[in-house]
PDB file of all heavy atoms in Angstrom:
ATOM      1  N   VAL B 103      -7.122  -9.849  33.553  1.00 89.00           N
ATOM      2  CA  VAL B 103      -6.230 -10.017  34.707  1.00 89.00           C
ATOM      3  C   VAL B 103      -6.739  -9.284  35.948  1.00 89.00           C
ATOM      4  O   VAL B 103      -6.392  -9.658  37.067  1.00 89.00           O
ATOM      5  CB  VAL B 103      -4.777  -9.539  34.447  1.00 89.00           C
ATOM      6  CG1 VAL B 103      -4.088 -10.378  33.415  1.00 89.00           C
ATOM      7  CG2 VAL B 103      -4.730  -8.073  34.100  1.00 89.00           C
ATOM      8  N   LEU B 104      -7.559  -8.265  35.744  1.00 86.00           N
ATOM      9  CA  LEU B 104      -8.027  -7.538  36.925  1.00 86.00           C
ATOM     10  C   LEU B 104      -9.036  -8.361  37.708  1.00 86.00           C
ATOM     11  O   LEU B 104      -9.085  -8.307  38.924  1.00 86.00           O
ATOM     12  CB  LEU B 104      -8.645  -6.196  36.507  1.00 86.00           C
ATOM     13  CG  LEU B 104      -7.618  -5.115  36.197  1.00 86.00           C
ATOM     14  CD1 LEU B 104      -8.219  -4.031  35.338  1.00 86.00           C
ATOM     15  CD2 LEU B 104      -7.065  -4.516  37.479  1.00 86.00           C
ATOM     16  N   GLY B 105      -9.832  -9.158  36.994  1.00 78.00           N
ATOM     17  CA  GLY B 105     -10.788 -10.052  37.637  1.00 78.00           C
ATOM     18  C   GLY B 105     -11.557  -9.364  38.732  1.00 78.00           C
ATOM     19  O   GLY B 105     -12.089  -8.267  38.551  1.00 78.00           O
ATOM     20  N   ARG B 106     -11.562 -10.005  39.906  1.00 59.00           N
ATOM     21  CA  ARG B 106     -12.351  -9.459  41.004  1.00 59.00           C
ATOM     22  C   ARG B 106     -11.577  -8.450  41.846  1.00 59.00           C
ATOM     23  O   ARG B 106     -12.065  -7.994  42.869  1.00 59.00           O
ATOM     24  CB  ARG B 106     -12.872 -10.599  41.876  1.00 59.00           C
ATOM     25  CG  ARG B 106     -14.123 -11.233  41.300  1.00 59.00           C
ATOM     26  CD  ARG B 106     -14.504 -12.485  42.055  1.00 59.00           C
ATOM     27  NE  ARG B 106     -13.515 -13.546  41.833  1.00 59.00           N
ATOM     28  CZ  ARG B 106     -13.594 -14.756  42.358  1.00 59.00           C
ATOM     29  NH1 ARG B 106     -14.575 -15.054  43.157  1.00 59.00           N
ATOM     30  NH2 ARG B 106     -12.689 -15.659  42.084  1.00 59.00           N
ATOM     31  N   SER B 107     -10.341  -8.151  41.404  1.00 60.00           N
ATOM     32  CA  SER B 107      -9.574  -7.189  42.198  1.00 60.00           C
ATOM     33  C   SER B 107     -10.030  -5.759  41.938  1.00 60.00           C
ATOM     34  O   SER B 107      -9.558  -4.826  42.559  1.00 60.00           O
ATOM     35  CB  SER B 107      -8.079  -7.325  41.908  1.00 60.00           C
ATOM     36  OG  SER B 107      -7.795  -6.824  40.621  1.00 60.00           O
ATOM     37  N   ARG B 108     -10.953  -5.598  40.993  1.00 58.00           N
ATOM     38  CA  ARG B 108     -11.515  -4.266  40.761  1.00 58.00           C
ATOM     39  C   ARG B 108     -12.219  -3.785  42.019  1.00 58.00           C
ATOM     40  O   ARG B 108     -12.954  -4.525  42.670  1.00 58.00           O
ATOM     41  CB  ARG B 108     -12.549  -4.330  39.627  1.00 58.00           C
ATOM     42  CG  ARG B 108     -11.928  -4.346  38.242  1.00 58.00           C
ATOM     43  CD  ARG B 108     -11.376  -2.981  37.907  1.00 58.00           C
ATOM     44  NE  ARG B 108     -11.364  -2.773  36.453  1.00 58.00           N
ATOM     45  CZ  ARG B 108     -11.031  -1.618  35.900  1.00 58.00           C
ATOM     46  NH1 ARG B 108     -10.695  -0.599  36.652  1.00 58.00           N
ATOM     47  NH2 ARG B 108     -11.026  -1.484  34.596  1.00 58.00           N
ATOM     48  N   THR B 109     -11.987  -2.554  42.380  1.00 59.00           N
ATOM     49  CA  THR B 109     -12.622  -2.006  43.572  1.00 59.00           C
ATOM     50  C   THR B 109     -13.435  -0.789  43.168  1.00 59.00           C
ATOM     51  O   THR B 109     -13.395  -0.348  42.028  1.00 59.00           O
ATOM     52  CB  THR B 109     -11.566  -1.544  44.586  1.00 59.00           C
ATOM     53  OG1 THR B 109     -10.844  -0.461  44.003  1.00 59.00           O
ATOM     54  CG2 THR B 109     -10.613  -2.676  44.935  1.00 59.00           C
ATOM     55  N   LEU B 110     -14.146  -0.262  44.134  1.00 50.00           N
ATOM     56  CA  LEU B 110     -14.930   0.937  43.854  1.00 50.00           C
ATOM     57  C   LEU B 110     -14.050   2.064  43.333  1.00 50.00           C
ATOM     58  O   LEU B 110     -14.447   2.840  42.482  1.00 50.00           O
ATOM     59  CB  LEU B 110     -15.638   1.404  45.136  1.00 50.00           C
ATOM     60  CG  LEU B 110     -16.977   0.727  45.432  1.00 50.00           C
ATOM     61  CD1 LEU B 110     -17.564   1.298  46.721  1.00 50.00           C
ATOM     62  CD2 LEU B 110     -17.953   0.937  44.269  1.00 50.00           C
ATOM     63  N   ALA B 111     -12.826   2.111  43.866  1.00 54.00           N
ATOM     64  CA  ALA B 111     -11.943   3.212  43.464  1.00 54.00           C
ATOM     65  C   ALA B 111     -11.500   3.083  42.025  1.00 54.00           C
ATOM     66  O   ALA B 111     -11.157   4.061  41.390  1.00 54.00           O
ATOM     67  CB  ALA B 111     -10.720   3.258  44.380  1.00 54.00           C
ATOM     68  N   THR B 112     -11.475   1.868  41.500  1.00 59.00           N
ATOM     69  CA  THR B 112     -10.855   1.673  40.190  1.00 59.00           C
ATOM     70  C   THR B 112     -11.823   1.229  39.106  1.00 59.00           C
ATOM     71  O   THR B 112     -11.426   1.110  37.958  1.00 59.00           O
ATOM     72  CB  THR B 112      -9.733   0.627  40.263  1.00 59.00           C
ATOM     73  OG1 THR B 112     -10.288  -0.639  40.617  1.00 59.00           O
ATOM     74  CG2 THR B 112      -8.670   1.034  41.255  1.00 59.00           C
ATOM     75  N   ASP B 113     -13.089   0.957  39.442  1.00 65.00           N
ATOM     76  CA  ASP B 113     -13.915   0.332  38.412  1.00 65.00           C
ATOM     77  C   ASP B 113     -14.373   1.289  37.319  1.00 65.00           C
ATOM     78  O   ASP B 113     -14.947   0.867  36.326  1.00 65.00           O
ATOM     79  CB  ASP B 113     -15.098  -0.438  39.013  1.00 65.00           C
ATOM     80  CG  ASP B 113     -16.054   0.461  39.745  1.00 65.00           C
ATOM     81  OD1 ASP B 113     -15.827   1.683  39.734  1.00 65.00           O
ATOM     82  OD2 ASP B 113     -17.008  -0.055  40.330  1.00 65.00           O
ATOM     83  N   SER B 114     -14.089   2.584  37.494  1.00 69.00           N
ATOM     84  CA  SER B 114     -14.525   3.516  36.453  1.00 69.00           C
ATOM     85  C   SER B 114     -13.362   3.974  35.575  1.00 69.00           C
ATOM     86  O   SER B 114     -13.532   4.831  34.718  1.00 69.00           O
ATOM     87  CB  SER B 114     -15.177   4.745  37.112  1.00 69.00           C
ATOM     88  OG  SER B 114     -14.207   5.436  37.869  1.00 69.00           O
ATOM     89  N   ILE B 115     -12.175   3.449  35.795  1.00 79.00           N
ATOM     90  CA  ILE B 115     -11.034   3.897  35.008  1.00 79.00           C
ATOM     91  C   ILE B 115     -10.573   2.782  34.084  1.00 79.00           C
ATOM     92  O   ILE B 115     -10.879   1.611  34.325  1.00 79.00           O
ATOM     93  CB  ILE B 115      -9.871   4.385  35.902  1.00 79.00           C
ATOM     94  CG1 ILE B 115      -9.338   3.239  36.746  1.00 79.00           C
ATOM     95  CG2 ILE B 115     -10.293   5.551  36.758  1.00 79.00           C
ATOM     96  CD1 ILE B 115      -8.120   3.625  37.537  1.00 79.00           C
ATOM     97  N   PRO B 116      -9.861   3.121  33.016  1.00 83.00           N
ATOM     98  CA  PRO B 116      -9.440   2.085  32.073  1.00 83.00           C
ATOM     99  C   PRO B 116      -8.543   1.031  32.731  1.00 83.00           C
ATOM    100  O   PRO B 116      -7.844   1.318  33.709  1.00 83.00           O
ATOM    101  CB  PRO B 116      -8.648   2.871  31.020  1.00 83.00           C
ATOM    102  CG  PRO B 116      -9.086   4.293  31.162  1.00 83.00           C
ATOM    103  CD  PRO B 116      -9.442   4.470  32.599  1.00 83.00           C
ATOM    104  N   ASP B 117      -8.565  -0.158  32.158  1.00 87.00           N
ATOM    105  CA  ASP B 117      -7.762  -1.265  32.697  1.00 87.00           C
ATOM    106  C   ASP B 117      -6.296  -0.866  32.851  1.00 87.00           C
ATOM    107  O   ASP B 117      -5.654  -1.166  33.858  1.00 87.00           O
ATOM    108  CB  ASP B 117      -7.839  -2.476  31.764  1.00 87.00           C
ATOM    109  CG  ASP B 117      -9.210  -3.129  31.782  1.00 87.00           C
ATOM    110  OD1 ASP B 117      -9.987  -2.851  32.712  1.00 87.00           O
ATOM    111  OD2 ASP B 117      -9.488  -3.925  30.850  1.00 87.00           O
ATOM    112  N   GLU B 118      -5.760  -0.226  31.817  1.00 89.00           N
ATOM    113  CA  GLU B 118      -4.330   0.085  31.853  1.00 89.00           C
ATOM    114  C   GLU B 118      -3.998   0.978  33.046  1.00 89.00           C
ATOM    115  O   GLU B 118      -2.950   0.830  33.679  1.00 89.00           O
ATOM    116  CB  GLU B 118      -3.878   0.751  30.552  1.00 89.00           C
ATOM    117  CG  GLU B 118      -4.786   1.879  30.130  1.00 89.00           C
ATOM    118  CD  GLU B 118      -4.214   2.773  29.040  1.00 89.00           C
ATOM    119  OE1 GLU B 118      -3.013   3.020  29.044  1.00 89.00           O
ATOM    120  OE2 GLU B 118      -5.000   3.230  28.190  1.00 89.00           O
ATOM    121  N   ASP B 119      -4.917   1.901  33.367  1.00 89.00           N
ATOM    122  CA  ASP B 119      -4.659   2.792  34.492  1.00 89.00           C
ATOM    123  C   ASP B 119      -4.840   2.069  35.820  1.00 89.00           C
ATOM    124  O   ASP B 119      -4.083   2.291  36.765  1.00 89.00           O
ATOM    125  CB  ASP B 119      -5.590   4.011  34.427  1.00 89.00           C
ATOM    126  CG  ASP B 119      -5.196   4.948  33.297  1.00 89.00           C
ATOM    127  OD1 ASP B 119      -4.238   4.610  32.578  1.00 89.00           O
ATOM    128  OD2 ASP B 119      -5.837   5.995  33.124  1.00 89.00           O
ATOM    129  N   ALA B 120      -5.854   1.209  35.889  1.00 89.00           N
ATOM    130  CA  ALA B 120      -6.040   0.432  37.115  1.00 89.00           C
ATOM    131  C   ALA B 120      -4.790  -0.404  37.393  1.00 89.00           C
ATOM    132  O   ALA B 120      -4.341  -0.530  38.532  1.00 89.00           O
ATOM    133  CB  ALA B 120      -7.274  -0.469  36.978  1.00 89.00           C
ATOM    134  N   LEU B 121      -4.217  -0.952  36.327  1.00 94.00           N
ATOM    135  CA  LEU B 121      -3.032  -1.798  36.495  1.00 94.00           C
ATOM    136  C   LEU B 121      -1.792  -0.974  36.831  1.00 94.00           C
ATOM    137  O   LEU B 121      -0.959  -1.377  37.639  1.00 94.00           O
ATOM    138  CB  LEU B 121      -2.798  -2.614  35.223  1.00 94.00           C
ATOM    139  CG  LEU B 121      -3.831  -3.721  34.989  1.00 94.00           C
ATOM    140  CD1 LEU B 121      -3.741  -4.256  33.553  1.00 94.00           C
ATOM    141  CD2 LEU B 121      -3.641  -4.860  35.984  1.00 94.00           C
ATOM    142  N   ALA B 122      -1.668   0.176  36.215  1.00 94.00           N
ATOM    143  CA  ALA B 122      -0.462   0.986  36.452  1.00 94.00           C
ATOM    144  C   ALA B 122      -0.502   1.653  37.827  1.00 94.00           C
ATOM    145  O   ALA B 122       0.517   1.723  38.512  1.00 94.00           O
ATOM    146  CB  ALA B 122      -0.327   2.049  35.355  1.00 94.00           C
ATOM    147  N   TYR B 123      -1.663   2.121  38.229  1.00 92.00           N
ATOM    148  CA  TYR B 123      -1.722   2.992  39.401  1.00 92.00           C
ATOM    149  C   TYR B 123      -2.244   2.311  40.674  1.00 92.00           C
ATOM    150  O   TYR B 123      -2.062   2.842  41.765  1.00 92.00           O
ATOM    151  CB  TYR B 123      -2.629   4.195  39.099  1.00 92.00           C
ATOM    152  CG  TYR B 123      -2.107   5.095  38.015  1.00 92.00           C
ATOM    153  CD1 TYR B 123      -2.903   5.451  36.931  1.00 92.00           C
ATOM    154  CD2 TYR B 123      -0.800   5.587  38.065  1.00 92.00           C
ATOM    155  CE1 TYR B 123      -2.431   6.283  35.930  1.00 92.00           C
ATOM    156  CE2 TYR B 123      -0.320   6.413  37.069  1.00 92.00           C
ATOM    157  CZ  TYR B 123      -1.137   6.753  36.000  1.00 92.00           C
ATOM    158  OH  TYR B 123      -0.647   7.568  35.011  1.00 92.00           O
ATOM    159  N   PHE B 124      -2.905   1.180  40.538  1.00 92.00           N
ATOM    160  CA  PHE B 124      -3.564   0.625  41.721  1.00 92.00           C
ATOM    161  C   PHE B 124      -3.089  -0.782  42.088  1.00 92.00           C
ATOM    162  O   PHE B 124      -3.763  -1.481  42.813  1.00 92.00           O
ATOM    163  CB  PHE B 124      -5.098   0.667  41.551  1.00 92.00           C
ATOM    164  CG  PHE B 124      -5.626   2.074  41.539  1.00 92.00           C
ATOM    165  CD1 PHE B 124      -5.741   2.787  40.352  1.00 92.00           C
ATOM    166  CD2 PHE B 124      -5.956   2.717  42.726  1.00 92.00           C
ATOM    167  CE1 PHE B 124      -6.195   4.097  40.334  1.00 92.00           C
ATOM    168  CE2 PHE B 124      -6.423   4.032  42.720  1.00 92.00           C
ATOM    169  CZ  PHE B 124      -6.543   4.730  41.530  1.00 92.00           C
ATOM    170  N   ARG B 125      -1.939  -1.161  41.564  1.00 94.00           N
ATOM    171  CA  ARG B 125      -1.318  -2.381  42.083  1.00 94.00           C
ATOM    172  C   ARG B 125      -0.196  -1.993  43.046  1.00 94.00           C
ATOM    173  O   ARG B 125       0.488  -0.995  42.835  1.00 94.00           O
ATOM    174  CB  ARG B 125      -0.731  -3.228  40.939  1.00 94.00           C
ATOM    175  CG  ARG B 125      -1.765  -4.089  40.212  1.00 94.00           C
ATOM    176  CD  ARG B 125      -1.108  -4.889  39.108  1.00 94.00           C
ATOM    177  NE  ARG B 125      -0.447  -4.007  38.145  1.00 94.00           N
ATOM    178  CZ  ARG B 125       0.623  -4.337  37.429  1.00 94.00           C
ATOM    179  NH1 ARG B 125       1.161  -5.543  37.562  1.00 94.00           N
ATOM    180  NH2 ARG B 125       1.148  -3.480  36.581  1.00 94.00           N
ATOM    181  N   ASP B 126       0.009  -2.814  44.056  1.00 95.00           N
ATOM    182  CA  ASP B 126       1.093  -2.576  45.006  1.00 95.00           C
ATOM    183  C   ASP B 126       2.382  -3.195  44.469  1.00 95.00           C
ATOM    184  O   ASP B 126       2.346  -4.007  43.537  1.00 95.00           O
ATOM    185  CB  ASP B 126       0.713  -3.166  46.373  1.00 95.00           C
ATOM    186  CG  ASP B 126      -0.429  -2.370  47.017  1.00 95.00           C
ATOM    187  OD1 ASP B 126      -0.541  -1.159  46.717  1.00 95.00           O
ATOM    188  OD2 ASP B 126      -1.210  -2.959  47.788  1.00 95.00           O
ATOM    189  N   PRO B 127       3.523  -2.812  45.074  1.00 97.00           N
ATOM    190  CA  PRO B 127       4.813  -3.289  44.530  1.00 97.00           C
ATOM    191  C   PRO B 127       4.887  -4.807  44.345  1.00 97.00           C
ATOM    192  O   PRO B 127       5.410  -5.282  43.335  1.00 97.00           O
ATOM    193  CB  PRO B 127       5.820  -2.799  45.571  1.00 97.00           C
ATOM    194  CG  PRO B 127       5.197  -1.557  46.137  1.00 97.00           C
ATOM    195  CD  PRO B 127       3.717  -1.818  46.139  1.00 97.00           C
ATOM    196  N   ASP B 128       4.349  -5.570  45.301  1.00 96.00           N
ATOM    197  CA  ASP B 128       4.496  -7.038  45.171  1.00 96.00           C
ATOM    198  C   ASP B 128       3.604  -7.611  44.065  1.00 96.00           C
ATOM    199  O   ASP B 128       3.705  -8.790  43.731  1.00 96.00           O
ATOM    200  CB  ASP B 128       4.238  -7.739  46.513  1.00 96.00           C
ATOM    201  CG  ASP B 128       2.823  -7.550  47.018  1.00 96.00           C
ATOM    202  OD1 ASP B 128       2.056  -6.760  46.396  1.00 96.00           O
ATOM    203  OD2 ASP B 128       2.466  -8.180  48.027  1.00 96.00           O
ATOM    204  N   GLU B 129       2.758  -6.780  43.472  1.00 96.00           N
ATOM    205  CA  GLU B 129       1.949  -7.226  42.334  1.00 96.00           C
ATOM    206  C   GLU B 129       2.604  -6.878  41.007  1.00 96.00           C
ATOM    207  O   GLU B 129       2.105  -7.263  39.945  1.00 96.00           O
ATOM    208  CB  GLU B 129       0.554  -6.589  42.391  1.00 96.00           C
ATOM    209  CG  GLU B 129      -0.258  -6.990  43.615  1.00 96.00           C
ATOM    210  CD  GLU B 129      -1.551  -6.194  43.716  1.00 96.00           C
ATOM    211  OE1 GLU B 129      -1.514  -5.028  44.168  1.00 96.00           O
ATOM    212  OE2 GLU B 129      -2.598  -6.736  43.323  1.00 96.00           O
ATOM    213  N   PHE B 130       3.678  -6.130  41.040  1.00 97.00           N
ATOM    214  CA  PHE B 130       4.397  -5.796  39.805  1.00 97.00           C
ATOM    215  C   PHE B 130       5.281  -6.972  39.411  1.00 97.00           C
ATOM    216  O   PHE B 130       5.825  -7.670  40.241  1.00 97.00           O
ATOM    217  CB  PHE B 130       5.208  -4.500  39.967  1.00 97.00           C
ATOM    218  CG  PHE B 130       4.392  -3.282  39.640  1.00 97.00           C
ATOM    219  CD1 PHE B 130       3.392  -2.854  40.506  1.00 97.00           C
ATOM    220  CD2 PHE B 130       4.580  -2.583  38.455  1.00 97.00           C
ATOM    221  CE1 PHE B 130       2.608  -1.753  40.199  1.00 97.00           C
ATOM    222  CE2 PHE B 130       3.797  -1.478  38.139  1.00 97.00           C
ATOM    223  CZ  PHE B 130       2.812  -1.067  39.009  1.00 97.00           C
ATOM    224  N   ARG B 131       5.421  -7.165  38.096  1.00 98.00           N
ATOM    225  CA  ARG B 131       6.128  -8.338  37.570  1.00 98.00           C
ATOM    226  C   ARG B 131       7.341  -7.939  36.715  1.00 98.00           C
ATOM    227  O   ARG B 131       7.836  -8.739  35.925  1.00 98.00           O
ATOM    228  CB  ARG B 131       5.164  -9.192  36.734  1.00 98.00           C
ATOM    229  CG  ARG B 131       4.070  -9.845  37.566  1.00 98.00           C
ATOM    230  CD  ARG B 131       4.650 -10.912  38.494  1.00 98.00           C
ATOM    231  NE  ARG B 131       3.655 -11.527  39.368  1.00 98.00           N
ATOM    232  CZ  ARG B 131       3.390 -11.115  40.614  1.00 98.00           C
ATOM    233  NH1 ARG B 131       4.040 -10.075  41.132  1.00 98.00           N
ATOM    234  NH2 ARG B 131       2.480 -11.731  41.345  1.00 98.00           N
ATOM    235  N   ASN B 132       7.803  -6.708  36.896  1.00 98.00           N
ATOM    236  CA  ASN B 132       8.991  -6.274  36.160  1.00 98.00           C
ATOM    237  C   ASN B 132      10.243  -6.964  36.702  1.00 98.00           C
ATOM    238  O   ASN B 132      10.278  -7.384  37.867  1.00 98.00           O
ATOM    239  CB  ASN B 132       9.159  -4.760  36.274  1.00 98.00           C
ATOM    240  CG  ASN B 132       9.281  -4.303  37.713  1.00 98.00           C
ATOM    241  OD1 ASN B 132       8.262  -4.138  38.384  1.00 98.00           O
ATOM    242  ND2 ASN B 132      10.497  -4.128  38.211  1.00 98.00           N
ATOM    243  N   SER B 133      11.274  -7.033  35.862  1.00 98.00           N
ATOM    244  CA  SER B 133      12.536  -7.623  36.297  1.00 98.00           C
ATOM    245  C   SER B 133      13.267  -6.661  37.222  1.00 98.00           C
ATOM    246  O   SER B 133      13.008  -5.452  37.234  1.00 98.00           O
ATOM    247  CB  SER B 133      13.417  -7.935  35.087  1.00 98.00           C
ATOM    248  OG  SER B 133      14.017  -6.749  34.620  1.00 98.00           O
ATOM    249  N   ARG B 134      14.207  -7.217  37.979  1.00 97.00           N
ATOM    250  CA  ARG B 134      15.031  -6.400  38.875  1.00 97.00           C
ATOM    251  C   ARG B 134      15.898  -5.413  38.095  1.00 97.00           C
ATOM    252  O   ARG B 134      16.288  -4.377  38.622  1.00 97.00           O
ATOM    253  CB  ARG B 134      15.923  -7.316  39.717  1.00 97.00           C
ATOM    254  CG  ARG B 134      15.170  -8.085  40.803  1.00 97.00           C
ATOM    255  CD  ARG B 134      15.091  -7.226  42.046  1.00 97.00           C
ATOM    256  NE  ARG B 134      14.537  -7.949  43.184  1.00 97.00           N
ATOM    257  CZ  ARG B 134      15.090  -7.925  44.396  1.00 97.00           C
ATOM    258  NH1 ARG B 134      16.199  -7.268  44.616  1.00 97.00           N
ATOM    259  NH2 ARG B 134      14.511  -8.563  45.388  1.00 97.00           N
ATOM    260  N   LEU B 135      16.223  -5.767  36.843  1.00 98.00           N
ATOM    261  CA  LEU B 135      17.109  -4.894  36.057  1.00 98.00           C
ATOM    262  C   LEU B 135      16.557  -3.482  35.911  1.00 98.00           C
ATOM    263  O   LEU B 135      17.283  -2.510  36.033  1.00 98.00           O
ATOM    264  CB  LEU B 135      17.346  -5.501  34.660  1.00 98.00           C
ATOM    265  CG  LEU B 135      18.126  -4.625  33.674  1.00 98.00           C
ATOM    266  CD1 LEU B 135      19.568  -4.416  34.133  1.00 98.00           C
ATOM    267  CD2 LEU B 135      18.099  -5.228  32.270  1.00 98.00           C
ATOM    268  N   VAL B 136      15.254  -3.372  35.632  1.00 98.00           N
ATOM    269  CA  VAL B 136      14.706  -2.056  35.292  1.00 98.00           C
ATOM    270  C   VAL B 136      14.373  -1.199  36.506  1.00 98.00           C
ATOM    271  O   VAL B 136      14.248   0.017  36.389  1.00 98.00           O
ATOM    272  CB  VAL B 136      13.444  -2.173  34.387  1.00 98.00           C
ATOM    273  CG1 VAL B 136      13.815  -2.782  33.051  1.00 98.00           C
ATOM    274  CG2 VAL B 136      12.345  -2.966  35.068  1.00 98.00           C
ATOM    275  N   GLU B 137      14.205  -1.831  37.676  1.00 98.00           N
ATOM    276  CA  GLU B 137      13.772  -1.035  38.830  1.00 98.00           C
ATOM    277  C   GLU B 137      14.945  -0.411  39.586  1.00 98.00           C
ATOM    278  O   GLU B 137      14.749   0.538  40.354  1.00 98.00           O
ATOM    279  CB  GLU B 137      12.948  -1.899  39.788  1.00 98.00           C
ATOM    280  CG  GLU B 137      13.780  -2.896  40.598  1.00 98.00           C
ATOM    281  CD  GLU B 137      12.924  -3.898  41.360  1.00 98.00           C
ATOM    282  OE1 GLU B 137      11.946  -4.400  40.775  1.00 98.00           O
ATOM    283  OE2 GLU B 137      13.246  -4.185  42.519  1.00 98.00           O
ATOM    284  N   ALA B 138      16.152  -0.947  39.388  1.00 98.00           N
ATOM    285  CA  ALA B 138      17.296  -0.434  40.141  1.00 98.00           C
ATOM    286  C   ALA B 138      17.449   1.060  39.893  1.00 98.00           C
ATOM    287  O   ALA B 138      17.140   1.553  38.810  1.00 98.00           O
ATOM    288  CB  ALA B 138      18.556  -1.181  39.725  1.00 98.00           C
TER     289      ALA B 138
END
Side-chain angles (χ1 to χ4, degrees):
Chain B
V103 294
L104 281 159
R106 278 171 292 181
S107 72
R108 280 287 207 174
T109 65
L110 275 181
T112 64
D113 64 3
S114 65
I115 64 174
D117 290 344
E118 48 166 323
D119 288 2
L121 289 166
Y123 295 128
F124 293 90
R125 279 180 301 151
D126 291 332
D128 63 353
E129 297 173 281
F130 272 72
R131 293 292 177 266
N132 59 277
S133 78
R134 287 273 187 133
L135 174 66
V136 296
E137 74 190 43

